[in-house]
């Protein structure tokens, strides 16, 4: 009789464990599918477009670049906000084939352009950045929109900026 109870208890415990694991997996999936945070937007001609507009500082962008498994054309934004771009130097050298920086007319670059060498292109509009990225990316690459700055100049917030990127990439 005790062996039967043990088997019933084991069955219940396994069912509880399976239920908890399934719930954890679903929650993790929801966490990883946050809009504007490493969000796969679309794939065009073998190039994956990734919306990471929620990346509003250098540390968030570091994480995003670190997660990339494809070669990257990186789109970032300039800002008067000073950050230590040296943190990204190794990742840029390892994973990034081109850097496209959005700089409005009233801004200056918040980093030394020599840091990115020949990889750097400067544009003034997100639409131009997406177009340039599509020209520079090859099949198998990713275009990563990870601005590393808040969106204070041209957008109400990272969500509006991310929606704009999403629309531009989808309409290529």
């Amino acid at each position: 009789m005790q062996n039967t109870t043990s088997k019933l208890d084991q069955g219940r415990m396994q069912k509880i464990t399976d239920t908890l694991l399934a719930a954890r997996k679903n929650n993790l999936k929801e966490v990883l599918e946050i809009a504007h945070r490493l969000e796969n937007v679309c794939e065009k001609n073998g190039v994956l477009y990734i919306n990471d507009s929620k990346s509003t500082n250098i540390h968030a962008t570091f994480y995003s670049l670190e997660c990339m498994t494809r070669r990257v054309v990186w789109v970032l934004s300039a800002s008067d906000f000073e950050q230590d771009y040296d943190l990204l130097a190794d990742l840029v050298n390892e994973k990034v084939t081109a850097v496209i920086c959005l700089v409005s007319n009233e801004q200056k670059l918040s980093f030394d352009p020599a840091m990115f060498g020949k990889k750097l292109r400067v544009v003034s509009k997100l639409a131009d950045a997406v177009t340039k990225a599509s020209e520079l990316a090859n099949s198998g690459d990713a275009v990563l929109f990870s601005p590393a700055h808040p969106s204070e100049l041209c957008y109400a917030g990272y969500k509006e900026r991310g929606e704009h990127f999403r629309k531009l990439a989808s309409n290529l």
Side-chain angles (χ1 to χ4, degrees):
M1 182 85 170
Q2 195 167 2
N3 285 342
T4 307
T5 305
S6 260
K7 287 181 182 182
L8 284 175
D9 287 344
Q10 286 176 350
R12 284 186 193 137
M13 288 303 295
Q14 186 61 50
K15 186 175 181 182
I16 290 170
T17 300
D18 291 344
T19 301
L20 289 172
L21 288 173
R24 179 177 284 170
K25 184 176 181 180
N26 285 336
N27 285 338
L28 182 59
K29 183 178 181 200
E30 287 177 22
V31 167
L32 294 177
E33 291 181 355
I34 295 173
H36 313 294
R37 184 70 182 128
L38 291 174
E39 170 192 19
N40 292 347
V41 173
C42 61
E43 189 160 343
K44 305 267 181 158
N45 299 319
V47 177
L48 179 62
Y49 291 80
I50 301 171
N51 174 14
D52 194 38
S53 183
K54 191 162 176 28
S55 170
T56 58
N57 63 59
I58 209 76
H59 298 289
T61 294
F62 179 93
Y63 171 78
S64 299
L65 285 170
E66 195 174 50
C67 289
M68 293 295 104
T69 56
R70 296 177 176 216
R71 293 179 319 260
V72 176
V73 175
W74 174 34
V75 179
L76 78 148
S77 297
S79 171
D80 294 333
F81 181 65
E82 294 293 325
Q83 298 190 82
D84 184 7
Y85 283 87
D86 290 338
L87 294 172
L88 301 176
D90 289 340
L91 281 172
V92 169
N93 285 330
E94 176 187 342
K95 297 187 175 200
V96 176
T97 60
V99 178
I100 302 168
C101 186
L102 286 161
V103 182
S104 70
N105 293 335
E106 54 277 345
Q107 284 180 313
K108 61 178 180 141
L109 288 177
S110 51
F111 54 85
D112 178 6
M115 174 185 181
F116 299 123
K118 295 178 181 177
K119 295 180 180 184
L120 181 66
R121 310 292 193 291
V122 177
V123 296
S124 61
K125 296 178 184 174
L126 185 55
D128 296 336
V130 172
T131 299
K132 179 58 80 177
S134 71
E135 292 168 1
L136 295 171
N138 296 310
S139 182
D141 290 354
V143 171
L144 174 64
F145 177 52
S146 189
H149 290 289
S151 54
E152 72 276 353
L153 289 177
C154 301
Y155 298 95
Y158 76 85
K159 290 179 183 178
E160 182 183 357
R161 177 175 65 185
E163 291 295 329
H164 190 203
F165 174 80
R166 191 186 293 153
K167 180 181 174 186
L168 292 167
S170 295
N171 289 334
L172 279 172

